[in-house]
Amino acid sequence: TLNNDHVRKIRKLSKKIMNRLNIDGFLSIHFAVSHHDTEIELKVLSLKTRLTRTSVVARRVAMYDLGYVLAKIALGYNFNEIMQPLT
């Protein structure tokens, strides 16, 4: 069972991850948690952005095709390496 300190640590780490990746919106983060007495060790298993209709419309208005960008990331590109052609 996680105590309040553990939950605060997970929230703080989640916010750091979102800020570091420059993600604004909803993000699902799956952690592996290992207990060591009163301490916990966390490892990120997966990150998944949660899109709403509004965020999809906003991305289209910004001239970025979300599928194109996600495919490039899946192929190993970094955000700063992805050049989105204007459509």
Side-chain angles (χ1 to χ4, degrees), residues 3-16:
N3 63 32
N4 286 338
D5 291 334
H6 296 151
V7 173
R8 275 190 226 112
K9 182 178 180 179
I10 292 171
R11 283 188 184 145
K12 186 176 178 181
L13 179 60
S14 298
K15 288 178 183 179
K16 278 185 178 181

Side-chain angles (χ1 to χ4, degrees), residues 47-86:
L47 298 169
K48 190 181 295 184
T49 56
R50 295 173 48 203
L51 297 176
T52 62
R53 282 189 224 145
T54 306
S55 62
V56 171
V57 169
R59 279 172 176 62
R60 286 193 178 260
V61 169
M63 303 298 280
Y64 281 89
D65 178 11
L66 188 60
Y68 174 83
V69 173
L70 292 176
K72 288 289 194 173
I73 291 169
L75 291 171
Y77 287 85
N78 291 323
F79 283 119
N80 61 346
E81 297 174 316
I82 300 172
M83 295 296 293
Q84 171 67 28
L86 295 177

Side-chain angles (χ1 to χ4, degrees), residues 17-32:
I17 291 170
M18 286 183 69
N19 290 335
R20 185 80 169 154
L21 295 175
N22 198 21
I23 294 175
D24 205 16
F26 297 107
L27 177 69
S28 294
I29 305 174
H30 295 227
F31 292 101

